[in-house]
Each structure stands twice: as structure tokens, then as C-alpha cells.
Amino acid sequence: MPDRLFLSPPHMGPNEQLYVDEVFRSNWIAPIGPFVDRFEDDLAALTGMNAMVALSSGTAALHLALRLSGLRPGDEVWGSTMTFIGGVAPILYEQARPVFLDVDAKTLLLDLDLLEEHLAQRAGSRDALPKVVISTDLYGSAIDATRMRALADRFGFLWISDSAESVGSHWNGQHAGYGADFLILSFNGNKIITTSGGGALGCADPAKAAEARFLATQARDPAPHYEHTTFGYNYRLSNVCAAIGVAQLEVLEARVEARRAINAAYRRALGDRPGFFLHNEPETGRANRWLTTIEIDPIKAGIAAEAIRLALEAKNIESRPVWKPMHLQPVFASASAIGGDCAARAFARGLCLPSGSAMTQDDVARVLAVIDRLSR
Ligand SMILES: *Cc1c(COP(=O)(O)O)cnc(C)c1O
């Protein structure tokens, strides 16, 4: 059996190990330290956000963003139905109520026409407008930030950009989520760059970043003993992980290039095949192409996505259905949804192909050979 080809394995550069050695030499084995500071500075430079806070995960970053949004139990948080559970579970931590909106079929990003239409309806009715809207930069594509910012200003919500999958992606020359009130990044093991586990919260308001740091370190009031006027969390990133992150940021651009090249190779081979569709890069955007996703129309292609997944698995190649929409998840059976058919169809037909930045041309050919055998 050939080696397993993973969907998106970690890909270390030349300096990760060196920086971790430096951490050991200096004995900064702690959830703070010089590499955490450097990682935060580098992330602020990358994203253009006023302040970045390095955290233990992207989910923790979203939780803090929601807590800092001043939600009260029962308040609505609107967001895309097509996402990973870590991009919505914190809504439940804060006892808010999620409302799931459909995505654009071509990009799998939150459908902004649908969002605008329903915000406008609410503005003209007695129902309250949502306090928070989360846009999800799915699979590496960044949403139209100009339009999101304008909607946030017009309808008075806080905009959280969940760009966990879009580190290094751009829209109109700016980093994904630029202009949001809060930006969520993830450095989990399968993301485009990784700290093993980790995340970051970007804040437009530096005072919010200071609050996030306070809450992420157990909300300790200034006193020689432990004094608490509120409760927090243990969410800070370790200096060891931050050292890996600093080195990973040095190679981010190369990782984006590699994943874009893999996407282009899949597109050349499959793009014109009847019944096959590869999701578009948003206009004026530069997607990091974290994962290449395809949709297969079983009638036109003569083969279903699941059959392809199983055939790849038989050759020791990992692929995966696209995210199952949240409005179809048992845990959200009683949540509200606005539309959802595009997301449901994408789930029924979609597949994520191996997209790791260390993949060779032979690896891509290995994937394509399996698909070729099935769909010719
Ligand atoms: C990975 C991911 C998260 C959560 O990040 P973790 O670091 O795994 O907690 C949130 N939202 C989306 C869209 C993600 O893909």
C-alpha cells in the first residue's frame, strides 16, 4: 500500500525547530513569553488589525469575541450555515441564539444578498436586528469586506470575521477579514499554517484586545493575591507553540503559493469535465486555497462524490465531504435558518481533495488517476 496521502498535514519550514530550541534554552516554557509577543506583532502586520491576541485555539478566539460583544442570553447571532462546529459552538457557550443563513453556491461564502434582504426586513419590523453577524471565510476564500463593513455600519451589528481557514488570503489587496470588529484565526494542525493547536483574536479596538488578554488569563484583577470581579478562561497560547507560529508565518506566502498551484492542477484536470464543478475564487480576492473543494453532479458525471471518496480511501488517500451545514446538525435541530438549500446541495455533492502544501505533482496525479478511472 502506498503511503497515506492526507488531506492537509502540517508542513514545517526551516526555522520552527530552531525557535523551539531557543525557547528551551531560555526556559520560557509558559503561556506568555517573547515568542508570544513576536507572534502577535507578526500577525498584526499580516492582517492589518490594530491588535492581535494569541490564544489556545480559534474556537477560544471566537468565544472571546462573542463575550466581548456584550451578548445577553437569547440574543441572536447570525452566520453562515456552512462551517465547522468551532465556528458556531461558542454562540451556545454565551447562551445566544444562532440563526443560520445560506451560502452562495459558487463560492460557499455567506450569501450577502440574502443577508442584506433579511436585515432590511428586520429593520422595518418590530423584531430586533442581530447584535452580531459572523461571516465565515470558507476553505480559504475571503468575503467581500467592503460590503460586510457597510452592512455592519448600516444595520448596527458587530462583524466577526471567522477567517480561521483563510490565514494569508486576501480580498481587494487586504488580508481576509480586514475591517471587521473581530477577526478569528486558527493554527490547528490541519490549517494552512499550524502551531499544533492555536488561534488568534484580532480586534479593531485595542481596548477590546486588552480585555481579551484579561479574560484569557482567568480575569485576574491587579492585586498581589488572586482577586476576581468576573470570571475568565485559560485561553492563552504557550510560548513553545508561538515559536512554531513565528517560523510558520515566515513561510506562509510559500504555503499559499503551493496550495494555489495544487488547486490550479486539479482545476486543469477536472474543471471541464461534465458534472464537475470547482468552487470559484471570489472576484478581486486571492484565496489561500486551504482545501480544494469540488462538487459532483451525479447525473451529469455518472458518479457520486461518496463513490469517489471511497475509491480514494481504497488507495490510502484521504478526502472528506464538505462541512455539513449547521441547520442540518442534530445539535441545532431547534435553531432558526434562513434558506439553506445551496449549502445542503453542496454537502450532498461536495468533496475536499488532498491539498497539503507539501504535495508533489506525483501526489496530485495519484488522486487524479483514481478519479479518472471512475469518471471516464
Ligand atoms: C478550524 C476552524 C475554527 C476553529 O479553530 P480551532 O483552532 O480548531 O479551534 C473555527 N472556524 C472555522 C471555520 C474553522 O475551520
Side-chain angles (χ1 to χ4, degrees):
M1 189 64 104
D3 282 350
R4 184 151 178 84
L5 187 53
F6 288 101
L7 199 61
S8 180
H11 184 184
M12 294 297 106
N15 288 335
E16 287 79 352
Q17 182 97 59
L18 287 174
Y19 295 173
V20 170
D21 286 348
E22 204 174 310
V23 168
F24 274 72
R25 269 200 307 280
S26 62
N27 203 32
W28 267 109
I29 317 286
I32 49 164
F35 274 109
V36 173
D37 296 343
R38 202 166 137 191
F39 192 41
E40 290 179 346
D41 290 346
D42 291 353
L43 287 170
L46 173 75
T47 60
M49 294 299 284
N50 289 328
M52 295 292 306
V53 184
L55 297 165
S56 53
S57 72
T59 309
L62 179 59
H63 185 197
L64 290 178
L66 289 169
R67 169 111 181 235
L68 292 171
S69 298
L71 290 168
R72 278 179 309 209
D75 281 349
E76 286 185 0
V77 174
W78 290 19
S80 168
T81 188
M82 188 144 228
T83 185
F84 169 63
I85 187 69
V88 292
I91 300 170
L92 301 183
Y93 305 172
E94 288 301 299
Q95 293 162 49
R97 274 190 302 143
V99 176
F100 297 118
L101 284 90
D102 208 354
V103 294
D104 176 272
K106 295 249 157 46
T107 60
L108 300 184
L109 296 174
L110 179 61
D111 181 338
L112 294 186
D113 292 335
L114 188 71
L115 173 65
E116 181 165 0
E117 181 194 324
H118 283 265
L119 289 169
Q121 266 175 30
R122 281 289 183 95
S125 80
R126 254 183 310 203
D127 291 326
L129 283 158
K131 207 173 263 179
V132 172
V133 176
I134 304 172
S135 63
T136 306
D137 288 336
L138 213 69
Y139 294 122
S141 290
I143 205 148
D144 178 340
T146 308
R147 191 159 172 208
M148 269 308 290
R149 186 67 257 162
L151 289 172
D153 292 341
R154 178 170 153 212
F155 293 104
F157 61 80
L158 289 168
W159 170 27
I160 299 178
S161 179
D162 181 351
S163 303
E165 301 177 2
S166 291
V167 177
S169 299
H170 287 81
W171 190 83
N172 228 1
Q174 305 278 14
H175 192 274
Y178 181 80
D181 297 288
F182 296 104
L183 174 70
I184 310 303
L185 304 179
S186 168
F187 311 107
N188 195 38
N190 59 351
K191 295 285 168 32
I192 188 162
I193 56 169
T194 181
T195 57
S196 74
L201 173 66
C203 301
D205 177 359
K208 291 286 184 196
E211 269 186 81
R213 282 200 179 88
F214 171 74
L215 290 174
T217 45
Q218 304 286 22
R220 292 158 54 180
D221 293 334
H225 60 276
Y226 283 74
E227 179 79 12
H228 305 282
T229 47
T230 185
F231 67 91
Y233 317 91
N234 182 2
Y235 275 173
R236 282 296 253 164
L237 186 68
S238 118
N239 195 51
V240 185
C241 295
I244 301 173
V246 167
Q248 285 272 276
L249 279 178
E250 292 171 1
V251 294
L252 173 62
E253 191 46 40
R255 301 295 180 261
V256 173
E257 283 297 331
R259 297 217 187 214
R260 286 178 64 82
I262 290 160
N263 182 275
Y266 283 132
R267 193 168 290 273
R268 273 194 303 277
L270 302 173
D272 296 328
R273 196 167 293 202
F276 280 69
F277 173 73
L278 285 88
H279 295 103
N280 292 348
E281 183 168 43
E283 276 171 48
T284 82
R286 184 167 187 273
N288 71 10
R289 295 301 196 184
W290 170 54
L291 295 181
T292 289
T293 53
I294 62 173
E295 272 179 56
I296 298 133
D297 177 337
I299 309 287
K300 290 191 187 134
I303 180 91
E306 179 62 5
I308 294 179
R309 190 186 71 78
L310 292 171
L312 289 168
E313 189 55 49
K315 295 285 183 195
N316 212 13
I317 298 169
E318 183 184 26
S319 65
R320 193 185 291 158
V322 299
W323 300 126
K324 180 173 180 179
M326 290 300 143
H327 75 281
L328 301 178
Q329 296 284 3
V331 64
F332 291 120
S334 60
S336 313
I338 299 175
D341 290 351
C342 287
R345 191 172 55 234
F347 174 60
R349 298 176 172 189
L351 205 59
C352 304
L353 296 177
S355 305
S357 45
M359 273 177 83
T360 62
Q361 287 186 0
D362 284 351
D363 292 333
V364 176
R366 212 177 122 192
V367 176
L368 290 171
V370 175
I371 298 175
D372 269 346
R373 248 189 313 109
L374 291 171
S375 65
R376 277 252 159 85

